[in-house]
Amino acid sequence: MQIMEFEFIIGIHGIYALCIPIIVWRIDMSYYLKDLIDLRKKFVKAYDSKKYADALDFGTRIVDLYKDNNACKTEDYAEDLYNLAIICDDMHITEKAKEYYKESAKLKKDILGENSQSYFDSLTNLGILHSVLGEFDEAEEVLKTVSGCIKNNAGVNTAEYVESLYNLGNMYVDAEKYDMGISILSEALECAKRIKNYDPQEYIDIHVSIADACAKSGNYRRACDEYRSEERRVGK
């Protein structure tokens, strides 16, 4: 049975995302491989062209193809389901997006393990969506799970851990728990400083989030300091 590998870049959706993951699809279902490849190419083309209704149609047909062939317990299905969730998220079809994020996360955990970055991607987008919808208890539970797992597995001086803190901190700010949000975002900044060659743009993102949180909480002096820090980094 032939194994083929394809690589497409799909943006992780969400206002707190710091990076764009690369999703690699590995296919070993040769008897419907041609149809799957064709639909994926159409899906990516539609997504890149921002034709989300078309992408939604192609993504749904991809998922249906797995179901028709009893192949829903695979890593590839989990990734394709995750991509469909992103489209639903972008189109504000929120209940479907949550359903697909949850299902993809469960499959990734079962197949790849609870320390898989792919598993964290699904959970992170689910947590961000909960936060956007004002479902802060659910968002906190999910995003704290991601942050805790990354901390225990990869350590604190990693870009993945910084991203998890960034997402968690912004969730608390959205929930108007400003002190908690500022504290976690500040921790993210300190961790980032210890990472060699950390992306300068992501430093700026963290400074801006802290500044916005400080302004919302009435701490205008620190907000100005954070904005100045951002300006100095932009000027480098």
Side-chain angles (χ1 to χ4, degrees):
M1 189 172 291
Q2 185 180 15
I3 296 177
M4 301 184 67
E5 182 166 310
F6 299 88
E7 184 170 310
F8 300 99
I9 298 178
I10 299 293
I12 192 171
H13 175 69
I15 58 174
Y16 310 144
L18 290 172
C19 64
I20 299 176
I22 295 177
I23 293 175
V24 179
W25 284 305
R26 291 165 294 277
I27 317 301
D28 62 355
M29 301 78 70
S30 57
Y31 49 90
Y32 60 98
L33 177 60
K34 184 179 181 299
D35 290 342
L36 195 56
I37 293 172
D38 183 57
L39 284 171
R40 279 175 172 161
K41 287 179 179 178
K42 291 178 179 178
F43 173 87
V44 172
K45 183 177 180 180
Y47 184 88
D48 288 344
S49 301
K50 300 188 185 303
K51 296 180 179 178
Y52 296 135
D54 290 343
L56 177 64
D57 177 59
F58 293 131
T60 301
R61 287 164 64 185
I62 288 169
V63 168
D64 287 343
L65 193 58
Y66 282 102
K67 292 178 179 178
D68 291 343
N69 289 276
N70 297 314
C72 296
K73 301 296 183 182
T74 64
E75 177 184 352
D76 301 290
Y77 173 73
E79 292 290 9
D80 282 323
L81 192 64
Y82 169 73
N83 289 331
L84 181 57
I86 290 172
I87 296 298
C88 291
D89 205 340
D90 281 340
M91 295 181 70
H92 306 292
I93 309 173
T94 55
E95 290 306 312
K96 279 296 183 183
K98 284 191 286 187
E99 176 187 338
Y100 295 149
Y101 282 139
K102 288 177 182 178
E103 185 180 350
S104 70
K106 183 180 185 305
L107 283 168
K108 290 176 180 181
K109 182 179 180 180
D110 292 342
I111 296 167
L112 302 173
E114 63 181 10
N115 292 322
S116 161
Q117 184 59 48
S118 184
Y119 167 58
F120 296 148
D121 289 342
S122 291
L123 280 187
T124 296
N125 276 18
L126 174 62
I128 290 169
L129 180 55
H130 279 308
S131 183
V132 169
L133 295 173
E135 299 165 353
F136 297 117
D137 289 342
E138 294 88 343
E140 180 181 33
E141 180 180 359
V142 171
L143 295 175
K144 284 180 74 174
T145 296
V146 173
S147 187
C149 287
I150 293 175
K151 181 179 181 179
N152 292 334
N153 185 53
V156 298
N157 297 327
T158 60
E160 292 79 11
Y161 183 62
V162 173
E163 180 184 347
S164 73
L165 291 178
Y166 178 81
N167 293 327
L168 183 60
N170 276 297
M171 182 278 298
Y172 281 121
V173 174
D174 282 351
E176 299 183 356
K177 297 181 179 180
Y178 299 120
D179 290 343
M180 180 70 76
I182 292 167
S183 176
I184 291 174
L185 289 167
S186 298
E187 182 184 351
L189 187 62
E190 291 306 309
C191 290
K193 290 176 181 177
R194 296 194 292 268
I195 300 173
K196 186 177 180 180
N197 298 323
Y198 190 76
D199 187 342
Q201 181 57 54
E202 294 181 4
Y203 273 120
I204 293 169
D205 291 340
I206 298 171
H207 278 299
V208 169
S209 288
I210 296 173
D212 288 347
C214 289
K216 289 175 180 177
S217 68
N219 188 347
Y220 301 113
R221 182 184 296 275
R222 183 173 177 187
C224 289
D225 289 342
E226 294 294 338
Y227 281 126
R228 291 192 188 101
S229 295
E230 173 215 351
E231 290 169 357
R232 286 195 293 271
R233 289 193 178 277
V234 170
K236 285 185 177 180

